[in-house]
Amino acid sequence: MKAIVQTVYGSPDVMALQEVEKPTINDDQVLVKVHAASANPLDWHFMRGTPYFMRMVSGLIRPKNTILGADTAGTVEAIGPDVTRFKVGDEVFGSASHGGFAEYNAMPERTLVHKPDNITFDEAAAVPVAALTALQGLRDQGKLEAGQHVLINGASGGVGSYAVQIAKLLGATVTGVCSTRNVELVQSLGADHVIDYKKDNFTRSNTQYDLLLDNAANHKAADFMAAIKPGGTWVLIGFSMRLMIAAGMFGKRIEKRHGKNVQMFTARIIQEDLSQLAEWLKSEQLKSVIDRQYPLAETPEAIRYLETGRAKAKVIIDVTA
């Protein structure tokens, strides 16, 4: 099969299209013929091996997994003997730790759900990591309740574009923060209020929020905390070592002194949560926004574009193109 392979850490230049062996499956795995995958910030961090502590998982000197791509959508090609939820020919989507930037991916059954008939493979591939992060960040880490006011910093990105929609589905009032060119997009996703960060700084206003879902990590920790009501929560998703250290070192002190909560987390691939997302997609209460699509051979360019920080919602790898 064809796959995008990297054997060393580095820039997108270390990734190359190669012919490799088709993966074999374990008893609890599903072999998926990949139609589409999506690129996530997680992919470029693993590509570069930074921050360096990630190499404790990905490989100290060189990457253990040479084919990146967590999010996958495609057709079931084969199943292991212990697989009960899927059969050959089923259209599925889900997420594993790697393997999506290839024509075939061997994935655990628990990481997949059936793709709704009313969405494309591209739209399905966009969902898992970003939408799971949004759902779990709002519901589990932020404890969001109906009637509360949530601010989503980075509302036009991959996680943010789903977070705006999911927060509305959970009954919240939503304020989204984005650049001028993305204001209309965030409004179209259902945000009640949109702040153009090029014109206004939400940390300098008098408005406070029950929950701040931070995908951008572009202010000081103290400024984020000032924007939260007493008893409110700052959920840090944007990857900033400075803020992670600050939240890790001072989070408990902030919580004790100011009665505000600090949460950092990484989304988990939970089949029940994927099923919830699939239901919302099927009922058209949730939609995927796709900025650009690249053929498999141009995956390095897709990652390069994603690294600029200018991607609007999701960047897709069309494996069948």
Side-chain angles (χ1 to χ4, degrees):
M1 69 173 186
K2 292 182 175 64
I4 297 294
V5 177
Q6 70 166 100
T7 57
V8 296
Y9 292 117
S11 73
D13 295 332
V14 303
M15 308 175 85
L17 185 67
Q18 296 182 16
E19 288 280 348
V20 299
E21 291 294 322
K22 185 188 297 186
T24 57
I25 55 174
N26 298 327
D27 290 353
D28 64 343
Q29 286 187 317
V30 174
L31 182 64
V32 177
K33 179 177 174 58
V34 182
H35 291 251
S38 73
N40 292 289
L42 185 69
D43 296 312
W44 93 59
H45 286 299
F46 277 121
M47 175 191 72
R48 292 186 179 274
T50 58
Y52 289 109
F53 71 78
M54 292 181 64
R55 298 192 185 193
M56 299 297 293
V57 175
S58 62
L60 288 175
I61 306 301
R62 58 183 59 86
K64 295 177 183 177
N65 298 317
T66 58
I67 301 173
L68 295 178
D71 294 341
T72 302
T75 306
V76 174
E77 182 87 357
I79 60 173
D82 294 342
V83 172
T84 60
R85 294 172 61 100
F86 305 104
K87 64 181 185 300
V88 173
D90 283 353
E91 296 181 346
V92 296
F93 74 97
S95 187
S97 60
H98 62 278
F101 298 156
E103 292 182 314
Y104 293 90
N105 194 6
M107 304 178 69
E109 179 183 28
R110 60 179 175 78
T111 67
L112 291 165
V113 294
H114 289 94
K115 180 184 78 65
D117 293 336
N118 61 318
I119 65 171
T120 67
F121 285 108
D122 288 356
E123 291 168 333
V127 171
V129 166
L132 284 172
T133 301
L135 174 61
Q136 294 170 8
L138 293 165
R139 183 196 63 195
D140 303 335
Q141 304 299 315
K143 309 296 184 185
L144 184 64
E145 298 179 359
Q148 290 186 325
H149 194 173
V150 56
L151 182 134
I152 298 170
N153 188 30
S156 62
V159 173
S161 61
Y162 289 114
V164 170
Q165 299 175 77
I166 292 171
K168 291 301 297 181
L169 286 167
L170 296 177
T173 297
V174 177
T175 294
V177 181
C178 63
S179 65
T180 308
R181 68 190 183 96
N182 293 322
V183 167
E184 289 187 7
L185 167 64
V186 175
Q187 289 173 332
S188 74
L189 295 173
D192 300 283
H193 313 282
V194 182
I195 297 173
D196 178 351
Y197 70 75
K198 293 189 175 182
K199 298 178 180 179
D200 297 296
N201 183 343
F202 72 87
T203 70
R204 296 290 182 261
S205 75
N206 294 321
T207 304
Q208 289 185 311
Y209 304 89
D210 298 290
L211 171 61
L212 196 163
L213 189 75
D214 178 24
N215 304 298
N218 55 356
H219 293 281
K220 295 178 180 179
D223 292 337
F224 281 123
M225 296 308 294
I228 301 168
K229 295 178 182 178
T233 302
W234 168 34
V235 177
L236 174 59
I237 295 169
F239 212 102
S240 162
M241 283 301 297
R242 172 178 56 81
L243 288 181
M244 290 176 68
I245 291 170
M249 292 180 64
F250 304 114
K252 293 301 180 184
R253 186 183 302 175
I254 291 169
E255 291 175 5
K256 184 176 181 180
R257 180 176 298 178
H258 301 287
K260 301 178 181 182
N261 305 303
V262 181
Q263 298 289 337
M264 296 181 292
F265 86 109
T266 300
R268 295 183 296 150
I269 308 304
I270 299 175
Q271 198 168 47
E272 290 77 10
D273 286 351
L274 280 172
S275 294
Q276 175 63 79
L277 295 170
E279 289 179 15
W280 282 334
L281 291 162
K282 184 176 181 179
S283 63
E284 299 183 354
Q285 295 176 280
L286 185 69
K287 66 178 180 180
S288 297
V289 178
I290 296 172
D291 183 353
R292 296 187 183 183
Q293 296 159 292
Y294 293 81
L296 181 62
E298 295 179 16
T299 299
E301 291 307 310
I303 300 295
R304 201 184 311 276
Y305 174 58
L306 194 63
E307 282 191 294
T308 67
R310 293 184 57 80
K312 181 165 54 178
K314 294 297 296 182
V315 174
I316 299 298
I317 310 301
D318 189 344
V319 178
T320 60

